[in-house]
Amino acid sequence: MELTFLGTSSAVPSKYRNHPSIALKAFGEIILFDCGEGTQRQMASVKISPMKINQIFISHLHGDHILGLPGLIQSMGFRGREEPLHIFGPKGIESLKNSIFNLGYCVIEFPVIFHEVDGGIIVDEKEYVIECIKTEHNIENLSYSIYEKKKPKFLKEKAIELGVKVGPDFGKLHNGCEVKIGDKIIKPEQVLGEKRIGAKIVYSGDTKPCENMIKLAKDANILIHESTYKLEDESKALESSHSTSQQGAMIAKKAKVGKLILTHISTRYTNVDELKKEAMEIFENTEIAYDFMTLEI
Amino acid sequence: MELTFLGTSSAVPSKYRNHPSIALKAFGEIILFDCGEGTQRQMASVKISPMKINQIFISHLHGDHILGLPGLIQSMGFRGREEPLHIFGPKGIESLKNSIFNLGYCVIEFPVIFHEVDGGIIVDEKEYVIECIKTEHNIENLSYSIYEKKKPKFLKEKAIELGVKVGPDFGKLHNGCEVKIGDKIIKPEQVLGEKRIGAKIVYSGDTKPCENMIKLAKDANILIHESTYKLEDESKALESSHSTSQQGAMIAKKAKVGKLILTHISTRYTNVDELKKEAMEIFENTEIAYDFMTLEI
């Protein structure tokens, strides 16, 4: 899996930071989280093809998180896309469709399917699961988690005890198929351990610190958390339902994540060392995202 | 007057070229021509404040020329703008308003006034005039001309002949006020020459070569003409109602303009020397625009 930060600013973009968007290259596709204005150009800069995106997950309906959608969708149409595009987001996202399709003259002939979601497992594929939970911004915000499904441990000794011979039958059972040993049918659940999850990545969207965020981020390998403000501007964060870098770090600590990446940085801070330093006082393994930052997981 | 090219690509943006937009700093304001996606960030990069824009002139309703409007307008609202914003464009532009105002959650409390125009003088201010004319794209396209009003020549000898003494009365008459000499009233029109225009700038939007373009561009100091294609792709230009660089140059030559600037360059051309060379065979004083290119006029 490869994460690319396409935009890391908050409401106002700067020369160095575009509006929010994160691309996850995994499972043979590109999965997009948020799509601020200019996202399609950011993608062009790092050679990510819009045609490989089948799913976009929107945290909330503020312009800085959605205004790249019309251009991205129109460009897909312009390139002759035929495959459906799925867009997930909070209540209200379905009504974006008309506005997007009526922004000037455009031909969009492929299916664009909007899904209004409000929590729980929203995508359950063979290789991965995507969940969301409501967190606390000044309008409805969803935070997302994506994790790989990992095969349960194969209990080798148990299998031998049941008469399975070392060889192809081990693989069949591990892959979820029954095998026949003499007259006996051995079922996979007899030789498999508990369900396991692989790499887990969690993205906050915009939120002030809250219990649901800790719950969703629990044991994640990577927590991408918004960090609009510095500690000295904590009152501004509270007022606008955003977080400081220390508040993001507190979530990371409580959720026991592996690594914290702070994003959605207010462009009032040209030097972000202070934000990082303040976060690291609480959670050591912290990075500040920058546009085009890439991370292998 | 200062021209800044904020975006110089055609339909698809690249790492080096954003979607079309041109800012003209003149007469104490910023006048914008077209507003492709990402224009507000391009403005941030060169420190042009969106709050100084009172008028935007849209050539046509293809996404690459308009998708920066929602973000720009929402950002103006976010910054507490109160002054009205006027947006001019071809038939259909008024219906953009609903789509823009319904793109997610936003508060826009200042007046945004859309003007559907189809030719002739559309703005006539004390210091300048803006005209438009229909040109020939695959949807309705307007090309725009802006020119400074320049005071007519002051006929000094005529004034002296009429008994006006050298001094403040000369200035009064040149500025359009009557003066009294003894019992006689001297009117400005008695001592002023013919109406004159100052610097004239013309912008094509998207069009194939046509007579109306030559008419509008007549004697302009600067013609900014689209140049989507190279000579070898002339059939593509024809098919999509665009121009090659040579066709732009032919317009410049026939309209006897001072300087030609080619823009709206297809991102298929990474090296634009060929486009320039081909245009210069027909019209010598040609430049290829690039993002953030600035020109004093």
Side-chain angles (χ1 to χ4, degrees):
Chain A
M1 296 205 281
E2 191 183 83
L3 266 179
T4 303
F5 288 80
L6 296 171
T8 58
S9 79
S10 56
V12 179
S14 73
K15 189 172 177 177
Y16 306 103
R17 295 183 185 272
N18 199 54
H19 283 132
S21 186
I22 301 164
L24 177 66
K25 195 171 166 183
F27 318 113
E29 58 179 317
I30 307 285
I31 297 170
L32 208 65
F33 293 93
D34 283 333
C35 186
E37 182 179 352
T39 294
Q40 63 165 324
R41 185 180 180 207
Q42 298 291 94
M43 290 171 64
S45 293
V46 287
K47 297 191 172 26
I48 291 178
S49 167
M51 302 304 261
K52 288 201 175 146
I53 297 175
N54 300 321
Q55 301 176 90
I56 304 177
F57 297 86
I58 298 294
S59 63
H60 66 297
L61 302 185
H62 277 149
D64 54 329
H65 293 252
I66 57 167
L67 289 182
L69 285 176
L72 187 62
I73 293 170
Q74 291 190 15
S75 285
M76 287 171 172
F78 185 71
R79 290 171 199 226
R81 182 181 178 116
E82 292 179 355
E83 295 72 32
L85 173 70
H86 295 270
I87 302 177
F88 298 79
K91 199 176 164 188
I93 198 153
E94 274 187 348
S95 66
L96 277 186
K97 189 167 180 169
N98 270 344
S99 298
I100 290 175
F101 279 57
N102 289 309
L103 267 176
Y105 181 87
C106 57
V107 180
I108 301 165
E109 289 178 328
F110 63 97
V112 184
I113 303 130
F114 286 77
H115 304 263
E116 285 191 354
V117 290
D118 65 358
I121 291 176
I122 52 172
V123 174
D124 191 349
E125 293 287 337
K126 195 179 162 204
E127 293 178 285
Y128 65 95
V129 169
I130 300 182
E131 263 187 81
C132 68
I133 201 163
K134 281 187 191 172
T135 43
E136 298 180 15
H137 194 38
N138 49 21
I139 61 168
E140 191 169 316
N141 182 75
L142 294 174
S143 302
Y144 291 95
S145 136
I146 176 166
Y147 56 86
E148 287 179 298
K149 287 181 178 174
K150 204 171 156 185
K151 282 187 216 170
K153 206 177 167 191
F154 183 69
L155 308 173
K156 195 178 159 184
E157 291 179 4
K158 188 87 181 281
I160 292 169
E161 205 182 296
L162 290 166
V164 186
K165 280 183 187 150
V166 178
D169 283 348
F170 271 35
K172 284 182 192 164
L173 284 161
H174 202 185
N175 286 325
C177 304
E178 295 177 353
V179 298
K180 204 173 174 190
I181 306 293
D183 293 337
K184 265 195 311 186
I185 300 287
I186 311 293
K187 293 188 171 172
E189 51 268 35
Q190 292 177 271
V191 295
L192 296 178
E194 283 179 8
K195 280 189 178 175
R196 296 188 297 182
I197 68 164
K200 177 177 173 183
I201 301 165
V202 173
Y203 169 55
S204 68
D206 286 7
T207 184
K208 64 183 178 187
C210 64
E211 284 303 314
N212 269 0
M213 196 64 241
I214 300 169
K215 198 171 149 190
L216 188 75
K218 194 80 192 142
D219 299 325
N221 299 66
I222 307 279
L223 168 61
I224 303 161
H225 200 285
E226 75 124 297
S227 163
T228 315
Y229 291 104
K230 266 167 71 170
L231 187 56
E232 66 179 21
D233 293 322
E234 193 171 338
S235 61
K236 287 195 182 80
L238 188 67
E239 201 183 303
S240 56
S241 296
H242 282 296
S243 297
T244 64
S245 67
Q246 280 210 341
Q247 288 170 332
M250 191 54 83
I251 300 291
K253 189 179 174 184
K254 288 186 178 168
K256 298 193 169 68
V257 308
K259 186 182 183 75
L260 171 65
I261 302 175
L262 297 171
T263 189
H264 200 269
I265 313 295
S266 169
T267 46
R268 78 190 64 203
Y269 311 125
T270 46
N271 183 339
V272 296
D273 292 349
E274 203 71 28
L275 272 97
K276 184 173 176 177
K277 206 177 130 204
E278 287 171 2
M280 284 177 74
E281 285 169 17
I282 291 171
F283 188 84
E284 176 83 19
N285 195 7
T286 298
E287 292 278 352
I288 307 281
Y290 52 88
D291 283 22
F292 307 127
M293 172 173 154
T294 296
L295 203 75
E296 285 283 350
I297 298 148
Chain B
M1 298 205 280
E2 190 183 83
L3 266 179
T4 303
F5 288 79
L6 296 171
T8 59
S9 80
S10 56
V12 178
S14 73
K15 187 171 179 178
Y16 306 104
R17 295 184 185 271
N18 199 54
H19 283 132
S21 186
I22 302 164
L24 176 67
K25 196 171 167 183
F27 319 113
E29 58 179 316
I30 307 285
I31 297 171
L32 209 63
F33 294 93
D34 282 333
C35 186
E37 181 180 351
T39 295
Q40 63 165 322
R41 185 179 181 209
Q42 298 291 93
M43 290 170 64
S45 293
V46 287
K47 296 191 171 26
I48 291 178
S49 168
M51 302 304 261
K52 288 200 174 147
I53 297 175
N54 300 321
Q55 302 176 90
I56 304 176
F57 297 87
I58 298 294
S59 63
H60 66 296
L61 302 185
H62 276 150
D64 54 328
H65 294 252
I66 57 168
L67 290 181
L69 285 175
L72 187 64
I73 293 170
Q74 291 189 14
S75 284
M76 287 170 171
F78 184 73
R79 290 170 200 225
R81 183 181 177 117
E82 292 179 356
E83 296 71 32
L85 174 69
H86 295 270
I87 301 177
F88 297 79
K91 198 176 166 190
I93 199 154
E94 274 187 348
S95 66
L96 276 186
K97 188 166 180 169
N98 270 344
S99 297
I100 291 175
F101 279 57
N102 289 309
L103 267 176
Y105 182 87
C106 57
V107 181
I108 301 165
E109 288 178 328
F110 63 97
V112 184
I113 303 130
F114 285 78
H115 304 264
E116 286 189 356
V117 291
D118 65 358
I121 290 176
I122 52 172
V123 173
D124 190 351
E125 293 286 337
K126 195 178 163 206
E127 293 178 285
Y128 64 96
V129 169
I130 299 182
E131 262 187 84
C132 68
I133 201 164
K134 281 187 192 172
T135 42
E136 298 181 16
H137 194 38
N138 48 21
I139 61 169
E140 191 169 316
N141 182 76
L142 294 173
S143 302
Y144 291 96
S145 136
I146 175 166
Y147 56 85
E148 288 179 298
K149 286 182 179 173
K150 205 172 156 186
K151 283 187 213 169
K153 205 176 167 193
F154 183 70
L155 308 173
K156 195 176 158 186
E157 289 177 7
K158 188 89 181 279
I160 292 168
E161 204 182 297
L162 289 166
V164 186
K165 281 185 186 151
V166 178
D169 284 347
F170 271 34
K172 283 182 193 164
L173 284 161
H174 202 185
N175 286 324
C177 304
E178 295 177 351
V179 299
K180 204 173 174 189
I181 306 294
D183 294 337
K184 264 196 314 188
I185 300 288
I186 310 292
K187 293 189 171 172
E189 51 268 34
Q190 293 177 271
V191 295
L192 296 179
E194 282 180 8
K195 279 189 179 175
R196 296 188 296 182
I197 69 164
K200 177 177 173 182
I201 301 164
V202 173
Y203 169 55
S204 68
D206 286 7
T207 184
K208 63 183 178 187
C210 64
E211 285 303 314
N212 269 0
M213 196 62 241
I214 301 168
K215 196 171 152 190
L216 188 76
K218 195 79 194 139
D219 299 325
N221 299 67
I222 307 279
L223 167 61
I224 303 161
H225 201 286
E226 75 125 296
S227 163
T228 315
Y229 292 105
K230 266 167 71 171
L231 186 55
E232 65 179 21
D233 292 323
E234 194 171 339
S235 60
K236 287 196 182 81
L238 187 68
E239 200 183 306
S240 56
S241 295
H242 282 296
S243 298
T244 63
S245 67
Q246 280 210 340
Q247 289 171 331
M250 189 56 79
I251 300 290
K253 189 180 175 184
K254 288 187 178 167
K256 297 191 169 74
V257 308
K259 186 184 183 74
L260 170 66
I261 302 175
L262 296 171
T263 189
H264 200 271
I265 313 295
S266 168
T267 46
R268 77 190 65 203
Y269 312 124
T270 46
N271 183 339
V272 295
D273 292 348
E274 202 71 27
L275 273 98
K276 185 173 175 178
K277 206 178 130 204
E278 287 171 2
M280 285 177 71
E281 285 170 15
I282 291 172
F283 188 83
E284 176 84 20
N285 196 5
T286 298
E287 292 277 353
I288 307 281
Y290 51 89
D291 282 22
F292 307 128
M293 172 173 155
T294 297
L295 202 76
E296 285 284 350
I297 299 148

